[in-house]
Amino acid sequence: MGNLFGCVQVDQSTVAIKERFGRFVEVLEPGCHCLPWFLGHQLAGHLSLRLQQLDVRCETKTKDNVFVNVVASIQYRALADKADDAFYKLSNTRSQIQAYVFDVIRASVPKLNLDAAFEQKNEIAKAVEDELEKAMSAYGYEIVQTLIVDIEPDEHVKRAMNEINAAARMRVAANEKAEAEKILQIKRAEGEAESKYLSGLGIARQRQAIVDGLRDSVLGFSVNVPGTTAKDVMDMVLVTQYFDTMKEIGASSKSSAVFIPHGPGAVRDVASQIRDGLLQGSHQ
């Protein structure tokens, strides 16, 4: 009886297409079915309902004339309620999907520069998915997911991009280094200016202290020694300092030769010059 009617088995996640005298009759669900072959019933074939994946590599050109290979991954499956359309309407499902992917990618990528193509991978994938969903739904297939998994420029282009990136980073590093050196120079100049300013204040205060000390000494000497003028006392003090200076120069073993005019007249001239210099310093 089994040979007469012909029992067939349909596996899980698969459907079978039943025909009678070459005409579609029904879709057989997973399980055991009887086909009375003597009445013209037969199996035309099986259709898998499992999720399938198709990787498509498409070569195209970007807006800035860079040739790239775009790798798209398409996940699709046949719909059980449209199994007859999926079985009969397409002779080569994978080739049909690949053709639609080529069409969308070659229409989308040439509108973008290379950098924008990398940044807008999701938009390209969405465009491919929308086009495939609209086209393949009429043939009994569902597009589950579309991914742009890679965009591969030519090797020379990738090397050039890496060099440009490296040069840009070096330029930023050079700018940062120059800015740091500029800050150091400014701080160093500010420190030197502050140091010179404080040094000038110290010298000015030193001179003022010397002048004040000399003035007090002269006034005290004039009061204690009647008949002497302030100029006489000042000359005597300057001459004393002059001889003390010569003594220190002569006592130093590392001193260089210094030629100084000497004599009463010379001492008078030196005293006059020292006095004039101190008076000028006291007026500053």
Side-chain angles (χ1 to χ4, degrees):
M1 195 69 178
N3 292 333
L4 180 63
F5 288 99
C7 293
V8 296
Q9 176 181 318
V10 179
D11 296 332
Q12 186 65 35
S13 299
T14 306
V15 295
I17 306 300
K18 178 181 178 181
E19 294 180 346
R20 182 182 182 188
F21 296 117
R23 182 182 179 85
F24 170 73
V25 177
E26 64 175 333
V27 176
L28 301 180
E29 299 291 336
C32 185
H33 302 273
C34 293
L35 293 177
W37 57 268
F38 61 91
L39 297 178
H41 294 273
Q42 64 177 359
L43 283 182
H46 293 78
L47 180 68
S48 176
L49 301 180
R50 295 177 180 177
L51 183 67
Q52 303 182 60
Q53 179 167 312
L54 173 64
D55 293 329
V56 180
R57 178 181 292 270
C58 176
E59 184 179 19
T60 185
K61 185 179 71 170
T62 61
K63 187 177 181 180
D64 47 354
N65 297 321
V66 177
F67 282 90
V68 294
N69 285 314
V70 180
V71 181
S73 181
I74 313 299
Q75 297 176 352
Y76 67 98
R77 65 186 170 194
L79 298 173
D81 57 342
K82 295 183 179 181
D84 54 333
D85 290 337
F87 186 82
Y88 287 105
K89 288 187 176 182
L90 290 178
S91 60
N92 193 327
T93 304
R94 298 175 73 87
S95 296
Q96 187 73 16
I97 293 176
Q98 185 175 4
Y100 279 108
V101 173
F102 280 176
D103 181 67
V104 176
I105 289 179
R106 288 174 176 169
S108 302
V109 175
K111 298 178 182 179
L112 304 172
N113 291 328
L114 181 60
D115 293 339
F118 279 99
E119 295 172 358
Q120 300 183 26
K121 287 171 55 177
N122 292 337
E123 286 77 2
I124 298 173
K126 186 66 168 59
V128 173
E129 183 175 347
D130 292 343
E131 185 66 22
L132 283 176
E133 185 68 32
K134 181 173 60 177
M136 298 305 295
S137 61
Y139 300 111
Y141 282 93
E142 175 190 12
I143 304 300
V144 178
Q145 186 72 33
T146 301
L147 302 173
I148 301 298
V149 296
D150 199 6
I151 298 178
E152 301 176 351
D154 183 79
E155 186 64 30
H156 297 290
V157 176
K158 289 195 290 186
R159 188 180 300 113
M161 291 173 63
N162 291 334
E163 291 176 355
I164 292 173
N165 189 21
R169 292 180 181 275
M170 290 180 64
R171 183 166 59 250
V172 172
N175 289 337
E176 293 294 334
K177 182 178 180 181
E179 189 67 22
E181 292 179 353
K182 175 184 175 182
I183 294 174
L184 287 176
Q185 291 178 358
I186 292 175
K187 293 299 182 182
R188 189 180 297 113
E190 291 177 352
E192 291 179 357
E194 184 69 17
S195 175
K196 291 180 180 179
Y197 172 74
L198 295 176
S199 177
L201 288 180
I203 293 174
R205 291 173 180 174
Q206 180 186 19
R207 290 177 178 176
Q208 186 64 43
I210 293 172
V211 170
D212 293 341
L214 290 175
R215 183 181 62 249
D216 294 340
S217 298
V218 168
L219 292 176
F221 193 87
S222 299
V223 171
N224 294 327
V225 181
T228 59
T229 64
K231 179 178 180 301
D232 296 334
V233 178
M234 188 68 178
D235 289 341
M236 183 182 65
V237 172
L238 292 177
V239 170
T240 302
Q241 290 182 345
Y242 169 75
F243 282 109
D244 290 340
T245 302
M246 291 185 64
K247 179 181 178 182
E248 291 179 2
I249 293 175
S252 177
S253 61
K254 297 182 180 180
S255 299
S256 302
V258 179
F259 295 94
I260 300 177
H262 189 64
V267 173
R268 188 185 307 110
D269 294 337
V270 170
S272 177
Q273 294 174 9
I274 294 174
R275 183 176 58 253
D276 293 341
L278 289 175
L279 291 177
Q280 291 177 3
S282 65
H283 290 311
Q284 291 179 352

